[in-house]
Amino acid sequence: IPGMLEKRMRNKRQKFVELAEARVNKALKDLQLIGNLSNSSAYEFTEADIRKIFSALQKSLDTAKGRFSKENENAGGDFRL
C-alpha cells in the first residue's frame, strides 16, 4: 500500500506548509508592530528596554529553531519588561 503512504506524507506536508506560512506571516507582522514601538514621539523607552525585548525575541527564536533538530526544549513563559 505505498500509494496510501505517499498520500499521507503529502497531507502532512500540505498541513506543514499551510501552518508554517500562516504562523511565519503572523510573526513577521508582529515583529513589524514591535518595530513601530521605536517611534520616540509616541513612546518613551530606554536602551535597557530595547536590549530586553530583543534578547527575549532572540532566545525564543533560537529555541524554536532548535526544536527542529532536537526534542524537549521549550521556551516557556511570557515576556515582561
Side-chain angles (χ1 to χ4, degrees):
I1 307 177
M4 288 180 65
L5 181 59
E6 284 181 27
K7 184 176 181 181
R8 186 169 153 230
M9 293 303 285
R10 190 169 39 249
N11 287 342
K12 288 174 73 172
R13 173 69 182 159
Q14 289 171 338
K15 187 68 170 176
F16 174 82
V17 169
E18 174 186 325
L19 290 173
E21 287 177 350
R23 292 175 186 181
V24 170
N25 284 324
K26 182 182 184 313
L28 293 173
K29 180 182 175 193
D30 288 344
L31 286 170
Q32 182 180 5
L33 292 175
I34 291 168
N36 290 351
L37 293 171
S38 67
N39 181 350
S40 58
S41 64
Y43 308 108
E44 183 176 313
F45 51 87
T46 67
E47 286 298 317
D49 293 335
I50 303 310
R51 281 193 304 274
K52 197 168 183 180
I53 289 168
F54 286 97
S55 176
L57 290 170
Q58 188 64 56
K59 181 178 178 185
S60 184
L61 185 59
D62 291 344
T63 299
K65 186 176 181 180
R67 291 183 66 190
F68 282 92
S69 59
K70 54 187 169 180
E71 293 293 323
N72 300 327
E73 188 177 354
N74 297 324
D78 290 335
F79 173 75
R80 298 278 184 250
L81 277 177

